[in-house]
Amino acid sequence: MKKSDEMHIDKGEMLPLMEEFYTIQGEGYHKGTAAYFIRIGGCDVGCHWCDVKESWNANLHPPTETVKIVENAEKYSDTIVVTGGEPLMWDMTILTDQLKKKGLQTHIETSGAYKLTGTWDWICLSPKKMKLPTKEVYDNADELKVIVYNKDDFRFAEEQAAKVNKDCILYLQPEWSKRDKVVPEIVDYVMANPKWKVSLQTHKYLNIP
């Protein structure tokens, strides 16, 4: 990455863009909604079951002018989902300011491990044990989505639920490769603890991005 690009990225004027696509939101509260996804490269949280490990190295993804990302996004949808990687590794202020000027809804999917930047209509917090969220993200999360890979994740989910704000919607989502094993456990857990809801990766069932 060129030094000049690094300066622009640090300011949020450019972002390491991995991919952008128009599809149906498959998870959580807004599942079933058409949305334009902006996937930003770069993540050091290191989930062993991550299904987009190619996003981890930001240097593999071209520094792209934020204004061009916004111009593309507004052609497709009024709901924009910023995901990664871990998008909060970068300053999201310019991106969300420009999206809001176009009258677009801004959603983010984040582990919450970095400083909260940007203006968001919806924050989906998916915390990871390796690098826990900041208090600011806990306080502002609209939904908490805990990925269930094994039984210890139920303990972790309760620990995280105790830290988010009282209006945050709580979801348990099976890790895709373990879904046959953990879905029955999640169903039983939610029936016994109805403050939780089940989230499924419905886009994978629909065979869309």
Side-chain angles (χ1 to χ4, degrees):
M1 193 182 293
K2 291 187 276 186
K3 278 283 182 200
S4 58
D5 288 346
E6 284 181 14
M7 286 172 53
H8 289 300
I9 286 175
D10 286 344
K11 294 177 182 175
E13 296 167 347
M14 300 177 85
L15 292 166
L17 181 66
M18 178 179 167
E19 60 180 344
E20 47 191 342
F21 52 93
Y22 184 45
T23 188
I24 302 294
Q25 170 60 275
E27 304 176 6
Y29 183 80
H30 293 281
K31 67 181 176 299
T33 303
Y36 189 75
F37 280 71
I38 298 168
R39 188 181 300 283
I40 306 297
C43 185
D44 62 358
V45 179
C47 307
H48 63 93
W49 39 255
C50 176
D51 56 3
V52 278
K53 287 181 179 170
E54 60 273 26
S55 71
W56 290 3
N57 185 349
N59 293 322
L60 298 179
H61 307 296
T64 305
E65 289 180 42
T66 302
V67 65
K68 289 184 178 174
I69 296 174
V70 173
E71 285 171 0
N72 277 344
E74 71 170 325
K75 295 173 189 172
Y76 292 92
S77 180
D78 60 3
T79 300
I80 312 301
V81 180
V82 181
T83 187
E86 175 42 70
L88 290 181
M89 286 183 71
W90 318 106
D91 191 336
M92 294 283 109
T93 306
I94 291 175
L95 175 63
T96 57
D97 284 354
Q98 292 185 8
L99 290 169
K100 296 306 290 179
K101 279 179 187 170
K102 304 284 188 182
L104 305 176
Q105 293 284 302
T106 55
H107 297 194
I108 187 170
E109 298 180 348
T110 177
S111 69
Y114 285 86
K115 177 181 168 60
L116 182 60
T117 56
T119 303
W120 303 103
D121 295 296
W122 193 264
I123 298 174
C124 172
L125 171 60
S126 185
K128 307 300 185 292
K129 296 172 186 173
M130 301 77 83
K131 203 162 190 172
L132 293 173
T134 66
K135 183 178 186 304
E136 189 179 17
V137 181
Y138 282 128
D139 291 346
N140 288 279
D142 295 288
E143 69 178 291
L144 173 71
K145 184 175 68 185
V146 178
I147 310 303
V148 178
Y149 183 82
N150 57 39
K151 278 192 162 61
D152 185 63
D153 292 319
F154 294 108
R155 175 202 59 79
F156 178 68
E158 292 295 349
E159 181 182 283
Q160 296 303 294
K163 295 182 179 182
V164 294
N165 65 83
K166 64 180 177 56
D167 298 318
C168 188
I169 304 167
L170 308 179
Y171 288 99
L172 297 173
Q173 179 171 296
E175 196 279 322
W176 182 252
S177 71
K178 298 283 186 180
R179 64 191 182 280
D180 291 342
K181 179 179 185 299
V182 300
V183 162
E185 295 173 358
I186 290 174
V187 169
D188 288 346
Y189 193 88
V190 170
M191 290 176 72
N193 301 273
K195 69 180 181 182
W196 291 94
K197 301 176 187 292
V198 179
S199 172
L200 296 174
Q201 292 180 291
T202 56
H203 55 291
K204 293 192 175 180
Y205 290 100
L206 295 171
N207 198 29
I208 56 176

